[in-house]
Every structure is written in C-alpha cells, then in structure tokens.
C-alpha cells in the first residue's frame, strides 16, 4: 500500500495500579499491512520516546504465539477479532486503513492493571503452584513403552497442553472465570497415566486456588473458547466439572 496505512489509536494509559486510567489518542501513519500489532506499538513508542514522552507499557516476549505473555483487548475483543491468533501474531492487514482502534488491558478482578496495558497474572501462577504438575521420579531415562498411553488420550492431552496461559479466556468471560485455563491443565495432566496418582488432590487444589484468586464461575457463555488463541475447547471445562465432582465424592 502506497504511503502505508493510517490509524487512530485510543490506548489505555494508567500510571500504576493505584492511579486512575484513561484512553489517550494517538495518530499513526506509514504502517505496512505486514506490520504486526506489537510492531505498530513499537513504532508508536519510538516516536513517544523521541518526543520525551512515556512509552506505552505492554507485555510481550516470544512474539511467536507460544509464550502467552502478550494479550490486549483490541476493539473489545481479547487478542483482537482474528480467531486462533495471539496479539503478537496479529497483523495490520486485518484492519481497515483509517480505522480507529481501541486498545485496553485485560479486565478482571484477579488480573489487576500494573501499568498501561500490563496486568498482573500471578493468579495463574498460584493456580499452577497449587497442583499444575505431576510428581515423577527424575534421573534415569524412562524405559521405552513402559507407560503406554492410548492415542486418543495422548491427542486430547496434547491439545490441552497447548494452552499458553495468556488469560484471554478470563478477559473474554463476562464472569472473569478461569475454568478454560484450569480445565486445560486438568485434561493435560489427568488424561495421562503419569497424572493418575495425584488425580483427585490436583483438581480440588486447582479449583480452591482458582476460587481464592477471585475468578468467577462458568455459566456457559463460551466466550472463553471463542477468544482462545490456541482453540482450547469447552469440553475441557466439562472434564474439569466431572473430575471435581468425582474427587469431591471420593475424598469426602
Ligand atoms: S485456555 Fe486459551 S485463552 Fe485461556 S489461558 Fe489457555 S491459551 Fe489463553
Ligand atoms: S509474545 Fe509470546 S505469545 Fe505473544
């Protein structure tokens, strides 16, 4: 596109967790359609820095859709409107030339805003610390085929393991529920034989940590799965519920 694309950006600015925030307007032009959304914010920040202004704070790391660090509400949608895409993999060709784009941080009680577009996602770490692991003996290599895993279960577990912990499911949910994230961890670990010894204790610990962190509960809106950049399905929430009921009865 000759001369590049032009956008009006309305970006959430907030000095720190204790300050009030507001939308700040910036015009940006000369953007190649192949620029990623984060690269466009980089260009804006270069200009703000040269002007002696505070650059916009936003989270990012891999920029390859694998670390889960990035995450923005773009025009009210978690990671933007493109399905199965993280913000770092979203390109400006998906927007209209001259469009006004509203950029905000995740909004959830359990994810407080730290600065501008960065939220504190330690609540997810606390859930994982409560039981998002398997206790296995490490050291010597596992005998080949010593633990056989049926192909269908291995595939389901692998699908669930593709969750990158970005938090878009929470941001998209009207209840700010973390059940897609927790359901993915339960499926990932519980479907494998290695996860069996801690099966009941794990689900009870994860749900307790999820509740204590202030996340809401699922009421089947489905916004989580629609926003998930890794296409994690709601069947993992069903498994989480089944596992929770089973463990509650067995460990009662
Ligand atoms: S389930 Fe999807 S949206 Fe939620 S944290 Fe995992 S990858 Fe992100
Ligand atoms: S920066 Fe790693 S997933 Fe986007």
């Amino acid at each position: 596109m000759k001369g590049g694309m032009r956008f009006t950006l309305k970006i959430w600015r907030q000095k720190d967790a204790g300050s009030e925030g507001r939308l700040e307007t910036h015009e940006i032009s000369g953007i190649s359609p192949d620029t990623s959304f984060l690269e466009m914010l980089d260009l804006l920040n270069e200009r703000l820095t040269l002007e002696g202004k505070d650059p916009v704070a936003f989270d990012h790391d891999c920029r390859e859709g694998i670390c889960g660090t990035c995450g923005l509400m773009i025009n009210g949608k978690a990671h933007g409107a493109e399905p199965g895409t993280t913000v770092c993999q979203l390109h400006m060709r998906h927007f209209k030339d001259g469009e006004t784009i509203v950029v905000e941080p995740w909004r959830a009680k359990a994810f407080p805003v730290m600065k501008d577009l960065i939220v504190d996602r330690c609540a997810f770490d606390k859930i994982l610390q409560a039981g998002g692991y398997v206790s296995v003996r490490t050291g010597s290599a596992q005998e080949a085929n010593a633990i056989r895993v049926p192909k269908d279960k291995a595939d389901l577990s692998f699908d669930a393991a593709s969750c990158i912990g970005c938090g878009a499911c929470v941001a998209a949910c009207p209840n700010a529920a973390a059940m897609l994230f927790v359901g993915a961890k339960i499926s990932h670990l519980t479907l494998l034989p290695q996860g069996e010894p801690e099966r009941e204790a794990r689900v009870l610990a994860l749900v307790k940590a999820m509740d204590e962190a202030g996340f809401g509960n699922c009421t089947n809106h489905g916004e989580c799965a629609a926003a998930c950049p890794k296409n994690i399905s709601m069947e993992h929430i069903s498994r989480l519920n089944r596992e929770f009921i089973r463990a509650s009865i067995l460990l009662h």
Side-chain angles (χ1 to χ4, degrees):
M1 177 174 293
K2 204 176 167 203
M5 300 175 87
R6 181 181 59 81
F7 301 103
T8 300
L9 303 174
K10 291 187 178 291
I11 303 180
W12 187 259
R13 303 303 306 263
Q14 185 170 335
K15 195 160 166 270
D16 52 41
S19 305
E20 282 199 3
R22 74 201 150 77
L23 287 171
E24 192 175 82
T25 304
H26 295 278
E27 303 292 337
I28 191 156
S29 56
I31 302 294
S32 158
D34 296 328
T35 304
S36 77
F37 201 89
L38 296 188
E39 286 166 346
M40 192 245 330
L41 291 180
D42 289 340
L43 291 170
L44 173 68
N45 276 347
E46 277 174 23
R47 192 179 84 200
L48 291 175
T49 306
L50 287 173
E51 290 170 352
K53 295 180 183 153
D54 195 20
V56 178
F58 63 92
D59 254 338
H60 59 101
D61 190 2
C62 71
R63 297 203 178 196
E64 293 180 343
I66 52 176
C67 76
T69 317
C70 66
L72 303 171
M73 297 301 283
I74 300 173
N75 290 338
K77 299 235 182 242
H79 288 296
E82 285 303 303
T85 307
T86 53
V87 170
C88 60
Q89 295 283 289
L90 179 66
H91 291 84
M92 299 317 294
R93 56 180 169 269
H94 295 295
F95 296 85
K96 289 195 198 80
D97 187 28
E99 186 174 342
T100 296
I101 306 173
V102 180
V103 192
E104 295 171 274
W106 287 168
R107 305 279 186 197
K109 188 174 133 204
F111 289 161
V113 175
M114 295 170 75
K115 182 173 166 63
D116 296 340
L117 303 172
I118 297 180
V119 300
D120 180 355
R121 280 175 292 180
C122 285
F124 267 11
D125 296 333
K126 287 195 181 128
I127 292 174
L128 292 183
Q129 283 161 3
Y133 49 80
V134 290
S135 302
V136 293
R137 186 174 66 87
T138 57
S140 54
Q142 180 74 49
E143 184 71 22
N145 283 330
I147 302 179
R148 293 178 185 228
V149 184
K151 176 82 166 66
D152 57 337
K153 290 201 171 170
D155 286 348
L156 261 179
S157 173
F158 190 79
D159 284 350
S162 66
C163 165
I164 54 175
C166 64
C169 44
V170 175
C173 175
N175 306 327
M179 290 182 71
L180 194 67
F181 169 75
V182 175
K185 303 304 156 202
I186 290 299
S187 292
H188 166 200
L189 300 171
T190 302
L191 286 167
L192 299 179
Q194 293 92 332
E196 190 63 30
E198 288 152 318
R199 181 173 173 183
E200 294 83 21
R202 176 186 306 113
V203 68
L204 296 180
L206 291 192
V207 169
K208 183 166 177 277
M210 177 177 79
D211 289 344
E212 285 173 359
F215 293 106
N217 282 312
C218 175
T219 47
N220 292 319
H221 286 271
E223 295 291 333
C224 54
C228 176
K230 297 297 161 186
N231 298 318
I232 302 288
S233 119
M234 283 182 73
E235 79 171 271
H236 300 294
I237 296 182
S238 307
R239 183 169 295 100
L240 167 63
N241 285 331
R242 287 198 301 276
E243 288 292 324
F244 180 75
I245 292 166
R246 179 182 171 277
S248 303
I249 293 167
L250 286 176
L251 296 190
H252 183 62

